[in-house]
């Protein structure tokens, strides 16, 4: 385990240096100069990582990827900056002088990355085991999406491996997953740990430097900048214990409370929002538009909020006489281009094979609200904003306290109005989208995926404006309060990790090479608490397999037994989507194909034929689940975990040659 840990750390540190070098070469070629040290570090980093991801994605997906227009937008951004090249102003020369050498920049970068790596590692560290803990199941799922990327060059959020005719390109957040795919392809390290430790650390380190650049823009004291920036990595909505008994507030955590280190899927949103905000502060409006236009491409759920935010921002720039109409149009055009590309790209993709009532049209019909629900939608939008305020109000009070301590009313005028307008419009649009998507299981993500990172960025900007020219003791107050809130956020937010006993993991590690590339899992009916958990890809048992294998298919063999998806209280509200999700399982598809062949088989017979025909080599069973009796004769050996109660059954199903990959059948 020590060797793997060292490899994970080395991978992140080497990669971020490569990103900086690649970005620096591109920036130097474009003759772009910088007026501040942290900006001169952040900009090459984000250019480098964007190019690295984009090039790998374009090559692997043969051009059929959302990362292609990202490269074009990066080119537009560079062209815009090249035409308006910075010169180093005399009032910032001292700031640059502190860290002007390339070696010092790299040392600072390595120190930041090492600190972030330590945080990510400690989140998985288990003092009672030689193995790391398994991250929350969502991150096991994201890490496994490297399979279709690396094996098929396909941007899909489906892990279907047995029936590829159901696969097609689907919108999602692929940026950090592509980086994970590159790392896994290069090293063959466990994908889930690479994602949570190495990939997350690369991006979070870049974000940390980005926060430094934002704060340094307001000429804060240089030695305080890294401390404040690091603390802002832990800024999120605060979960007050005395309010969590209230269901309205408790459920609002999905909207407003997500620690970045525990939710690394947010990293692309943070990175490009910081870049866009930085250009806004520097009055590089066209570059800002290009940077923000990347967001819909790398994080599809941000599209409505980002699009409307940019449109209102451009209008404000004209009305406030910060830009002419022609320049404002150039601010909006990149995001319009991104949206057009998204629409055209997915419209041109072939509709995958579907059984009746499972296509895209049916999916849309099941989530679009009716006209008669307008009042309800309005209440939901207002409720989302109230909930948001409850979670974030303490940070606004912190800034108010610093402002009162400064006793300088003119500080109010240093807060950029364009940032506040952008923030306000985005908040209203995010709430509207949360309401409009109320029948969609993931509708909260229309709000959270934009507002959680945007709020942190705006809070950093406002605090930096208020701290400008402050004495050290005021900095000390701000840092102390942020540290207290960061500690509180950690203590009130569970990691979601799963712990398995060292002995069980040792047994799994020994058995892993013989398990083959295809497995199944069984959850008990009572394990399914809501429609969201019906997903056969993201809600599974047996996540420990991901600690030892990257290339494996994992299919549900669960026997869900609701009274009815339309009457069972767990699924009634979202019954239409629940039905679609159930029909996406490989076992369901196998059964349907058997029915089309006019074969009348019992459920047990279907499971047996499914397992033997598709060479399922192992089955993971939850604590409350039971292995189907018909599969018992196939069991070669079983292992039980003393902590989680989960069981692993190794099956005797191999006939000639086990599937060499999750997608490749017997030869």
């Amino acid at each position: 385990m020590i060797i793997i840990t060292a490899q994970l750390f080395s991978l992140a540190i080497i990669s971020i240096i490569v990103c900086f070098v690649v970005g620096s070469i591109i920036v130097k070629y474009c003759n772009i100069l910088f007026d501040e040290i942290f900006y001169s570090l952040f900009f090459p980093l984000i250019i480098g990582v964007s190019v690295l991801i984009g090039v790998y994605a374009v090559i692997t997906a043969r051009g059929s990827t959302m990362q292609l227009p990202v490269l074009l937008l990066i080119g537009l951004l560079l062209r815009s900056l090249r035409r308006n090249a910075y010169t180093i102003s005399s009032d910032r020369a001292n700031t640059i002088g502190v860290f002007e050498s390339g070696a010092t920049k790299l040392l600072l970068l390595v120190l930041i990355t090492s600190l972030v790596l330590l945080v990510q590692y400690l989140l998985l560290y288990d003092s009672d085991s030689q193995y790391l803990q398994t991250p929350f199941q969502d991150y096991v799922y994201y890490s496994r999406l490297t399979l279709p990327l690396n094996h098929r060059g396909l941007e899909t959020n489906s892990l279907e491996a047995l029936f590829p005719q159901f696969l097609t390109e689907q919108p999602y957040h692929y940026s950090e997953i592509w980086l994970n795919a590159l790392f896994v392809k290069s090293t063959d390290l466990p994908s889930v740990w690479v994602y949570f430790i190495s990939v997350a650390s690369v991006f979070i380190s870049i974000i940390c430097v980005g926060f430094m650049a934002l704060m340094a823009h307001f000429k804060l004291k240089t030695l305080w900048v890294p401390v404040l920036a690091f603390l802002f990595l832990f800024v999120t909505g605060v979960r007050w214990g005395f309010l969590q008994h209230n269901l309205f507030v408790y459920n609002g955590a999905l909207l407003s409370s997500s620690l970045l280190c525990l939710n690394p899927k947010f990293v692309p949103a943070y990175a490009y929002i910081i870049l866009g905000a930085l250009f806004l502060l520097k009055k590089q409006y066209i570059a800002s538009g290009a940077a923000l236009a990347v967001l819909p491409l790398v994080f599809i759920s941000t599209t409505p909020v980002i699009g409307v935010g940019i449109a209102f921002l451009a209008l404000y720039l004209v009305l406030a006489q910060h830009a002419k109409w022609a320049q404002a149009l150039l601010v909006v055009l990149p995001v319009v281009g991104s949206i057009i590309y998204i629409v055209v790209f997915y419209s041109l993709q072939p509709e995958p094979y579907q059984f009746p009532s499972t296509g895209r049209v049916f999916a849309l019909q099941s989530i679009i609200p009716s006209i008669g629900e307008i009042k309800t939608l309005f209440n939901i939008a207002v409720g989302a904003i109230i909930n948001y305020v409850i979670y974030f109000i303490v940070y606004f009070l912190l800034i108010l306290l610093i402002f009162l301590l400064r006793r300088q009313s003119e500080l109010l005028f240093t807060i950029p109005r364009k940032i506040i307008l952008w923030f306000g419009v985005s908040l209203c649009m995010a709430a509207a989208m949360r309401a409009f998507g109320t029948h969609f299981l993931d509708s909260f993500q229309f709000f959270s995926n934009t507002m959680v990172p945007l709020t942190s960025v705006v809070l950093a900007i406002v605090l930096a404006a208020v701290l400008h020219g402050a004495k050290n003791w005021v900095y000390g107050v701000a840092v102390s309060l942020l540290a207290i809130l960061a500690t509180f956020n950690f203590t009130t937010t569970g990691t979601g990790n799963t712990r398995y006993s060292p002995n069980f993991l040792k047994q799994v590690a020994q058995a892993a090479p013989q398990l083959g590339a295809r497995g199944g899992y069984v959850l008990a009916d009572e394990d399914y608490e809501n429609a969201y958990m019906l997903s056969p890809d993201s809600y599974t048992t047996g996540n420990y397999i991901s600690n030892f294998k990257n290339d494996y298919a994992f299919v549900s063999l669960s026997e869900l037994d609701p009274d009815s998806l339309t009457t069972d209280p767990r699924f009634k509200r979202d019954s239409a989507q629940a039905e679609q999700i159930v029909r996406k399982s490989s076992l369901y598809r196998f059964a349907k194909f058997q029915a089309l062949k006019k074969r009348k088989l019992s459920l047990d017979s279907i499971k047996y034929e499914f397992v033997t025909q598709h060479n399922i080599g192992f089955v993971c069973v939850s604590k409350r689940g039971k292995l189907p009796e018909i599969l018992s004769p196939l069991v070669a050996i079983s292992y039980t975990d003393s902590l989680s109660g989960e069981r692993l059954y190794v099956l005797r199903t191999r006939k000639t040659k086990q599937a060499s990959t999750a997608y490749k059948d017997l030869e």
Side-chain angles (χ1 to χ4, degrees):
M1 196 64 228
I2 295 177
I3 295 176
I4 291 179
T5 301
Q7 290 174 320
L8 292 170
F9 274 54
S10 300
L11 177 61
I13 291 173
I14 292 171
S15 297
I16 202 164
I17 291 174
V18 169
C19 289
F20 179 68
V21 171
V22 170
S24 296
I25 292 172
I26 294 172
V27 166
K28 185 173 182 180
Y29 174 79
C30 294
N31 195 31
I32 299 172
L33 302 176
F34 304 101
D35 61 350
E36 190 275 311
I37 173 61
F38 299 118
Y39 176 44
S40 73
L41 193 57
F42 173 64
F43 186 67
L45 279 171
I46 198 165
I47 294 297
V49 75
S50 300
V51 170
L52 196 67
I53 293 170
V55 170
Y56 181 71
V58 169
I59 292 173
T60 306
R62 298 173 294 281
S64 183
T65 170
M66 280 289 116
Q67 302 304 313
L68 177 59
V70 172
L71 294 176
L72 299 177
L73 286 171
I74 293 297
L76 174 63
L77 189 156
L78 291 168
R79 179 177 175 81
S80 170
L81 293 179
R82 188 175 185 180
R83 292 174 61 183
N84 301 278
Y86 284 106
T87 55
I88 300 176
S89 55
S90 58
D91 63 334
R92 307 303 292 278
N94 290 335
T95 306
I96 293 182
V98 177
F99 301 104
E100 63 182 356
S101 72
T104 308
K105 286 183 181 180
L106 285 177
L107 178 60
L108 176 63
L109 187 57
V110 170
L111 288 174
I112 294 169
T113 307
S114 299
L115 190 57
V116 173
L117 275 166
L118 184 61
V119 172
Q120 295 303 119
Y121 174 76
L122 290 176
L123 288 172
L124 298 184
Y125 177 70
D126 188 345
S127 59
D128 296 324
S129 174
Q130 67 187 91
Y131 299 98
L132 295 177
Q133 296 178 30
T134 304
F136 181 59
Q137 58 197 15
D138 278 6
Y139 294 95
V140 176
Y141 167 59
Y142 300 148
S143 71
R144 294 193 61 231
L145 286 177
T146 59
L147 270 174
L149 295 184
N150 278 337
H151 282 287
R152 305 185 73 90
L154 188 68
E155 289 183 340
T156 177
N157 57 18
S158 171
L159 288 170
E160 176 62 76
L162 308 185
F163 302 107
Q165 63 268 42
F166 289 92
L167 294 175
T168 190
E169 281 84 354
Q170 294 169 304
Y172 210 49
H173 52 90
Y174 293 107
S175 184
E176 84 285 5
I177 300 174
W178 270 117
L179 186 60
N180 194 59
L182 173 59
F183 285 178
V184 171
K185 186 78 170 180
S186 304
T187 65
D188 203 32
L189 288 168
S191 180
V192 64
W193 292 340
V194 171
Y195 184 97
F196 196 88
I197 295 178
S198 302
V199 171
S201 295
V202 167
F203 265 109
I204 293 175
S205 299
I206 294 173
I207 291 164
C208 185
V209 177
F211 275 123
M212 293 180 192
L214 284 176
M215 294 179 176
H217 175 81
F218 292 90
K219 303 179 184 179
L220 301 191
K221 294 182 179 180
T222 305
L223 295 180
W224 285 104
V225 167
V227 179
L228 286 166
F230 185 75
L231 288 173
F232 260 90
L233 296 177
F234 309 103
V235 168
T236 191
V238 178
R239 303 189 187 202
W240 301 108
F242 66 93
L243 292 176
Q244 292 303 302
H245 68 278
N246 184 293
L247 196 60
F248 169 74
V249 177
Y250 178 80
N251 290 335
L254 289 172
L255 296 174
S256 306
S257 183
S258 297
L259 273 172
L260 179 60
C261 56
L262 291 173
N263 298 273
K265 74 170 186 177
F266 285 107
V267 289
Y270 272 88
Y272 291 107
I273 287 175
I274 289 175
L275 185 63
L278 195 56
F279 287 139
L280 276 178
L281 294 174
K282 294 180 179 295
K283 300 180 181 180
Q284 294 287 334
Y285 300 128
I286 297 175
S288 178
L292 294 175
V294 172
L295 276 161
L297 300 168
V298 300
F299 219 131
I300 189 69
S301 57
T302 65
T303 303
V305 178
I306 291 298
V308 171
I310 292 175
F312 272 86
L313 185 59
L315 180 62
Y316 169 80
L317 293 175
V318 173
L319 296 179
Q321 298 183 342
H322 294 314
K324 296 181 179 180
W325 281 106
Q327 189 180 19
L329 182 62
L330 292 176
V331 173
V332 175
L333 279 178
V335 76
V336 172
S338 292
I339 294 171
I340 291 174
Y341 181 89
I342 291 170
V343 172
V344 172
F345 180 84
Y346 289 113
S347 297
L348 293 177
Q349 302 308 321
E351 180 78 17
Y353 181 87
Q354 297 285 355
F355 297 121
S357 299
T358 56
R360 295 175 183 173
V361 175
F362 178 81
L364 287 174
Q365 289 174 345
S366 68
I367 63 176
I368 295 177
S370 65
I371 297 295
E373 296 179 276
I374 290 180
K375 185 177 179 180
T376 301
L377 299 182
F378 177 79
N379 291 337
I380 292 173
V382 173
I385 294 176
I386 293 173
N387 210 300
Y388 168 85
V389 171
I390 291 172
Y391 276 88
F392 277 103
I393 191 170
V394 65
Y395 290 102
F396 295 105
L397 293 176
L398 184 157
I399 291 172
L400 177 61
L401 174 63
I402 300 300
F403 173 75
L404 294 175
L405 290 175
R406 296 295 312 278
R407 298 180 181 179
Q408 296 179 23
S409 58
E410 63 271 16
L411 288 173
L412 283 176
F413 301 101
T414 64
I415 300 173
R417 294 181 183 177
K418 54 199 171 190
I419 297 291
I420 301 303
L421 173 95
W422 175 37
F423 169 74
V425 170
S426 297
L427 177 59
C428 292
M429 186 60 189
M433 286 304 302
R434 163 66 184 95
F436 181 77
T438 185
H439 298 306
F440 178 49
L441 284 173
D442 282 331
S443 63
F444 68 90
Q445 300 202 44
F446 288 123
F447 189 98
S448 62
N449 292 352
T450 305
M451 290 314 302
V452 168
L454 179 58
T455 301
S456 296
V457 172
V458 171
L459 286 172
I461 291 171
V462 175
L463 180 61
V466 173
L467 281 174
H468 172 67
K471 295 182 180 179
N472 282 328
W473 71 270
V474 180
Y475 280 96
V477 171
V479 166
S480 299
L481 292 175
L482 285 172
I484 291 171
L485 288 173
T487 303
F488 186 80
N489 285 337
F490 264 114
T491 57
T492 57
T493 304
T495 64
N497 298 345
T498 305
R499 291 184 66 241
Y500 300 100
S501 66
N503 184 57
F504 177 70
L505 290 177
K506 184 178 180 180
Q507 291 172 328
V508 175
Q510 292 172 345
Q514 288 77 45
L515 293 181
R518 291 178 177 174
Y521 67 88
V522 177
L523 291 166
D525 180 78
E526 54 267 33
D527 287 328
Y528 295 100
E529 298 175 9
N530 52 54
Y532 198 84
M533 293 180 173
L534 293 175
S535 172
D537 289 336
S538 58
Y539 185 71
T540 72
T541 190
N543 289 322
Y544 49 83
I545 297 293
S546 64
N547 297 340
F548 308 102
K549 292 180 73 69
N550 289 333
D551 189 354
Y552 67 99
F554 208 35
V555 297
S556 175
L557 300 174
S558 302
E559 191 170 332
L560 182 66
D561 188 29
D563 295 331
S564 168
L565 291 176
T566 58
T567 59
D568 191 307
R570 295 174 295 175
F571 316 120
K572 182 178 179 180
R573 179 185 179 277
D574 305 297
S575 59
Q577 292 175 82
E579 184 178 358
Q580 293 175 63
I581 294 171
V582 169
R583 294 184 178 193
K584 289 180 180 179
S585 76
S586 298
L587 181 62
Y588 174 86
R589 288 166 173 168
F590 177 78
K592 288 292 289 184
F593 281 130
Q594 300 308 306
L596 290 174
K597 295 176 183 177
K598 308 298 182 182
R599 297 188 66 200
K600 295 182 179 180
L601 300 173
S602 66
L603 180 57
D604 279 345
S605 297
I606 288 173
K607 289 183 179 180
Y608 185 87
E609 289 204 17
F610 178 77
V611 166
T612 54
Q613 285 187 29
H614 293 287
N615 219 25
I616 305 300
F618 62 95
V619 178
C620 302
V621 181
S622 71
K623 181 178 181 178
R624 293 182 289 189
K626 293 182 179 179
L627 181 76
E629 275 194 41
I630 197 168
L631 300 182
S632 296
L634 299 177
V635 175
I637 191 171
S638 65
Y639 307 98
T640 301
D641 178 41
S642 60
L643 292 181
S644 67
E646 294 187 33
R647 284 149 287 150
L648 169 65
Y649 294 90
V650 181
L651 306 184
R652 293 185 292 261
T653 54
R654 284 172 286 177
K655 297 175 181 177
T656 54
K657 182 180 178 182
Q658 182 73 329
S660 57
T661 74
Y663 294 96
K664 191 173 181 180
D665 208 346
L666 295 175
E667 296 179 354

